Amino acid sequence: MSRIAHGIALSLLAGPLFAAAVDPGPELLRQARQWQELGRPLEAQQAIERLLRLSPGPSPLNAEGLTLQALGELQLKQDKLAAQTLAKLRALYPGHPGIDRVEQMRRVLGAGRGKLLRAHELFAIGKVEEAYAAFNEVYQGRPPDGALALEYWQVTARMPGGWERARAELQAIVNRSPSNHEARLALANLYLLHPPAPRAVLDELKALSGFDDSRGAALAQWRRALLQVDQGWPRADYLDYLERAPDDATVRAKMDDVEANRQRQRALLADPAYR
């Protein structure tokens, strides 16, 4: 056998061995986080169970797996199981940051539930500074995980100096979980606070309007973006929106008004006397 043929044969034999050596733990961890952020704790727990079977002994993966397991049990309202998992996490990994995350969620979903509801109400009626203070009292200065994080960063973005931090945090959530449409909507919404929105945001809202679970909110934000800009968007953007919301008379009138203004401007520029 030639050296080349021998090398090919070795590579073919080695391929499956190298593939088998790849650790699936990090991917299972990523899946579990994504399911939890999507509000689907049952699917998250299935990934975590597989992860803990693969990493039963002391390791960073095992510690994070136990953290996510306790958080998932709290999502499923399995408080006793969550307490047992937290106790195990404390015993095996004293000082691990996951302990604080689980304790925070236990507090928020337990004794702090009333304060959390009050913070929601304050934000809903536009009392942003009071809402921000109320959320921080509940979370005790540590930003929350999961679905609670989306509202917290919406509030933070409206505080002086808070927009960029909120954008970075929401972008990180979207990067971890691109299928989390709620997080993508939250990120797009930040840009509507400072119009005009970037072109990429309009494209993102157009894409999100194609999913059943985000269509309504995406159309509402898309509409807002189109109406925010006095000088208007290209006519094609209005037509794309109206294809999905043909009965929106306000957006149609905005499109016609923008086009009429542009025609008047073109007529002026074509007038030698005006030039």
Side-chain angles (χ1 to χ4, degrees):
M1 182 184 291
S2 70
R3 288 184 179 180
I4 295 175
H6 183 66
I8 293 173
L10 286 176
S11 67
L12 290 173
L13 288 171
L17 295 176
F18 288 136
V22 173
D23 183 4
E27 174 59 20
L28 288 170
L29 200 61
R30 186 197 66 78
Q31 290 176 11
R33 288 192 182 114
Q34 179 170 306
W35 285 127
Q36 285 192 351
E37 287 174 348
L38 290 170
R40 296 173 66 174
L42 287 174
E43 289 89 342
Q45 294 299 80
Q46 290 171 6
I48 293 165
E49 287 169 6
R50 291 176 59 197
L51 170 65
L52 294 177
R53 283 198 299 269
L54 289 169
S55 303
S59 69
L61 276 176
N62 182 267
E64 186 62 16
L66 288 173
T67 300
L68 294 180
Q69 183 178 48
L71 291 172
E73 287 163 348
L74 288 171
Q75 280 185 295
L76 292 166
K77 299 182 180 179
Q78 298 171 340
D79 296 344
K80 290 183 179 179
L81 287 177
Q84 292 170 8
T85 304
L86 177 59
K88 185 175 182 180
L89 181 64
R90 278 202 187 101
L92 291 174
Y93 307 99
H96 188 273
I99 296 171
D100 290 340
R101 288 160 58 195
V102 177
E103 287 180 337
Q104 180 195 60
M105 190 59 66
R106 289 182 73 194
R107 184 175 63 253
V108 168
L109 297 179
R113 186 180 293 275
K115 293 181 179 179
L116 182 63
L117 290 174
R118 178 58 181 160
H120 291 324
E121 292 171 358
L122 289 169
F123 184 43
I125 61 176
K127 295 186 176 181
V128 177
E129 291 184 3
E130 293 179 43
Y132 183 69
F135 278 120
N136 281 326
E137 182 183 354
V138 173
Y139 300 136
Q140 295 188 2
R142 186 189 181 281
D145 294 318
L148 293 175
L150 302 184
E151 184 177 33
Y152 179 79
W153 294 120
Q154 290 290 324
V155 178
T156 302
R158 290 161 170 80
M159 296 297 294
W163 189 92
E164 180 54 37
R165 184 186 177 202
R167 185 209 60 77
E169 294 289 345
L170 287 174
Q171 185 67 65
I173 294 172
V174 170
N175 291 345
R176 286 197 307 269
S177 181
S179 58
N180 187 340
H181 297 159
E182 191 175 355
R184 288 166 62 181
L185 284 166
L187 178 59
N189 190 57
L190 292 197
Y191 288 95
L192 302 187
L193 298 176
H194 303 289
R199 153 61 51 192
V201 172
L202 251 65
D203 294 339
E204 171 76 335
L205 293 172
K206 179 180 177 180
L208 288 169
S209 72
F211 298 101
D212 290 341
D213 65 339
S214 56
R215 180 174 294 112
L219 284 173
Q221 288 190 29
W222 192 0
R223 181 182 195 270
R224 181 178 161 198
L226 291 173
L227 296 176
Q228 279 181 329
V229 182
D230 291 337
Q231 65 269 30
W233 292 90
R235 183 176 178 84
D237 290 316
Y238 296 102
L239 293 175
D240 281 346
Y241 169 83
L242 289 169
E243 184 179 343
R244 293 159 178 76
D247 297 329
D248 194 326
T250 302
V251 171
R252 191 173 296 278
K254 174 74 172 181
M255 177 183 69
D256 293 342
D257 185 53
V258 167
E259 185 61 25
N261 287 335
R262 288 172 179 162
Q263 287 179 0
R264 284 193 293 270
Q265 186 66 19
R266 285 194 292 269
L268 280 174
L269 292 174
D271 185 348
Y274 175 79
R275 291 203 305 270

